[in-house]
Amino acid sequence: MKKGPEDLTMITELNKQDFYKIRHLTDPCKNIEARAIVNGMNPGRVYADHPAEPTAALIWIQGQQGYQVVGDARSAVFAEKLGEYMRTRIEPELQKQGINGVEIGAEMDTWDETLSAIFGDRYISADNQHVFCLGEQAGAIEFHADAVTIRPIDRELLTSSRLGNHSFVEEKILHYWESADVFLQQGLGYYAEHSNHAVSLCFSAFVAEETHAIDIETLEGYRKNNYGTIVAAALIQEFRRKGIRPYWDCTPENTGSIRIAQAIGMKPDFDYRIFWYRFS
């Protein structure tokens, strides 16, 4: 049957069971967050330039509260419709969540011209983002934690409400995962405990095949004590035992994150582009 013109001139939000239709666009991606969404591992949404045969897609990565654009930057549908679709459909939804800006990640030198043209009237800005991987020569990691106890983020922790700040741990996990159960099935994590409080967390935020993207946070007041490095080292050692590849994503300005990555044996792998603009 010949396809009608409506099939070629609209942006379509795909149902989760149809995410597979853009796997040919995400499988080559170095950014594992996009693959994690499309493979159904982490929560997100997909907007495609064609409901059945997409050549480009915009992926909402819920854990990052941002987007990744994949596929053919020459997509005529995106060039003509994406700006309007963002204004009328996506930005109002973001505002309801208290978000007043848009971030879109893209592989280096692929979407620069297209996104600049689409959002040229939105004062779009761009910068590079760094991704680190584990160096081949990384040796054993030894860090001593005298003031804190390092423990795994396990079922007992997530179900007992034992910690005085249990909500901090729970909210961090649920920011990236559909449920604690899914995290426990698919991810790994460690935390530093001090005075019955979790003061630093490091865990799998996104999972794509054997690669885990890492999230890390240390509470204000406990930073500059090396706790972030200690929990990250514990997680990396667990990854090594299980044959998991770590993926560390951070901005060039986040010198603390870069220092931790380097301290645990990570090395620069690749950069990608982040585009952003604000709306009222």
Side-chain angles (χ1 to χ4, degrees):
M1 180 182 293
K2 186 176 180 180
K3 296 176 181 176
E6 68 276 7
D7 293 331
L8 305 175
T9 60
M10 61 186 290
I11 293 175
T12 303
E13 180 173 4
L14 300 182
N15 294 320
K16 188 173 182 178
Q17 62 265 28
D18 292 326
F19 284 4
Y20 74 91
K21 293 178 179 178
I22 68 160
R23 279 186 184 152
H24 65 292
L25 305 179
T26 57
D27 282 349
C29 288
K30 290 184 176 181
N31 297 87
I32 77 158
E33 297 92 346
R35 301 206 310 271
I37 304 304
V38 172
N39 292 341
M41 189 66 69
N42 294 89
R45 302 169 75 171
V46 171
Y47 308 89
D49 65 349
H50 191 286
E53 299 175 357
T55 65
L58 183 72
I59 302 167
W60 167 248
I61 302 171
Q62 181 173 303
Q64 292 182 332
Q65 296 196 321
Y67 297 88
Q68 186 81 16
V69 66
V70 298
D72 188 355
R74 298 166 298 176
S75 166
V77 173
F78 268 25
E80 296 170 9
K81 300 291 186 181
L82 185 57
E84 177 187 359
Y85 192 86
M86 295 293 290
R87 273 194 174 90
T88 60
R89 298 285 297 277
I90 290 179
E91 290 172 16
E93 292 181 357
L94 293 176
Q95 283 185 308
K96 291 177 182 177
Q97 301 175 53
I99 301 171
N100 58 4
V102 170
E103 278 193 7
I104 302 175
E107 292 194 358
M108 292 291 289
D109 305 321
T110 56
W111 284 83
D112 297 54
E113 185 176 335
T114 300
L115 292 177
S116 295
I118 291 172
F119 301 110
D121 61 338
R122 309 305 294 272
Y123 304 103
I124 192 167
S125 301
D127 204 348
N128 292 349
Q129 189 89 348
H130 297 328
V131 173
F132 294 78
C133 68
L134 192 63
E136 292 181 6
Q137 304 302 319
I141 308 167
E142 299 258 351
F143 290 102
H144 300 287
D146 297 328
V148 294
T149 302
I150 307 303
R151 304 181 189 276
I153 301 175
D154 56 16
R155 185 169 299 280
E156 186 277 330
L157 173 73
L158 294 177
T159 58
S160 68
S161 299
R162 176 182 63 80
L163 295 174
N165 62 342
H166 175 80
S167 61
F168 165 60
V169 180
E170 184 176 53
E171 288 170 9
K172 286 293 294 183
I173 297 298
L174 295 182
H175 184 74
Y176 292 96
W177 295 90
E178 292 280 6
S179 68
D181 282 340
V182 177
F183 166 75
L184 291 169
Q185 292 166 13
Q186 305 294 340
L188 295 167
Y190 282 83
Y191 71 103
E193 182 176 340
H194 177 75
S195 298
N196 199 42
H197 283 69
V199 299
S200 187
L201 301 175
C202 189
F203 61 94
S204 308
F206 299 93
V207 173
E209 293 83 40
E210 299 304 316
T211 303
H212 289 215
I214 296 170
D215 186 69
I216 185 168
E217 182 171 350
T218 301
L219 293 179
E220 190 94 31
Y222 293 90
R223 295 168 188 171
K224 300 183 179 179
N225 290 310
N226 219 30
Y227 297 157
T229 304
I230 294 166
V231 292
L235 183 62
I236 292 298
Q237 288 172 341
E238 183 75 0
F239 280 178
R240 284 175 170 172
R241 287 192 290 269
K242 296 183 179 296
I244 293 169
R245 294 187 295 269
Y247 173 107
W248 190 285
D249 187 336
C250 64
T251 65
E253 296 78 20
N254 194 342
T255 55
S257 181
I258 293 173
R259 279 197 301 270
I260 293 174
Q262 293 171 336
I264 62 175
M266 306 286 282
K267 67 174 185 178
D269 187 14
F270 68 93
D271 287 354
Y272 65 98
R273 296 283 276 170
I274 289 285
F275 301 84
W276 72 90
Y277 66 87
R278 297 181 69 84
F279 57 87
S280 56

